[in-house]
Amino acid sequence: MNNFEIGEKVVCTDDSKRWFKLGGLKKGEMYTIAGFNPYDGGLILKEVKSPMSGYNAYRADRFRKIDYDFAHSVIEMIQPTKKEVVQNQHKKVTKTSKLYSFNFISLN
């Protein structure tokens, strides 16, 4: 069987068409598991339905679990530190800096 759970979020890793249509499945998109096909363990998803399955399920090997630890570490790496934020708030306008003013006109 597979190691997925109902309610878990998964990411599609394989949206290749085989001999049937996929019903809107897209690689890289996140989906929520609503249940399992009792015959082969395929994933029944909330967001899309497989038109060629009696249970509207997709093969489990088309998906992977979301790695939340990896996502959090990437977010931490790209967020500025408190020191960087404070430095950016205290930058002074120099003689070479230019200030621009924009006026917006509505055409409606």
Side-chain angles (χ1 to χ4, degrees), residues 33-45:
I33 299 174
F36 302 99
N37 181 333
Y39 297 106
D40 64 5
L43 305 184
I44 300 170
L45 306 173

Side-chain angles (χ1 to χ4, degrees), residues 54-70:
Y55 286 90
N56 295 318
Y58 293 96
R59 289 178 47 116
D61 64 357
R62 290 182 177 270
F63 303 91
R64 69 168 171 79
K65 290 185 173 200
I66 295 174
D67 186 352
Y68 288 103
D69 292 334
F70 173 75

Side-chain angles (χ1 to χ4, degrees), residues 13-99:
T13 59
D14 179 9
D15 67 351
S16 61
K17 293 179 184 175
R18 295 180 182 147
W19 54 272
F20 51 85
K21 294 181 181 180
L22 290 176
L25 189 68
K26 293 182 183 173
K27 185 175 182 176
E29 293 289 321
M30 290 178 29
Y31 300 100
T32 308
I33 299 174
F36 302 99
N37 181 333
Y39 297 106
D40 64 5
L43 305 184
I44 300 170
L45 306 173
K46 286 184 179 179
E47 296 82 4
V48 292
K49 306 292 181 206
S50 176
M52 296 304 291
S53 167
Y55 286 90
N56 295 318
Y58 293 96
R59 289 178 47 116
D61 64 357
R62 290 182 177 270
F63 303 91
R64 69 168 171 79
K65 290 185 173 200
I66 295 174
D67 186 352
Y68 288 103
D69 292 334
F70 173 75
H72 289 297
S73 66
V74 169
I75 290 170
E76 286 177 9
M77 286 185 343
I78 63 173
Q79 284 183 333
T81 64
K82 288 181 182 179
K83 183 178 178 182
E84 291 172 334
V85 171
V86 170
Q87 286 175 347
N88 288 338
Q89 290 174 349
H90 296 310
K91 281 188 176 178
K92 294 181 180 178
V93 177
T94 64
K95 290 181 181 179
T96 58
S97 298
K98 294 182 180 181
L99 299 177

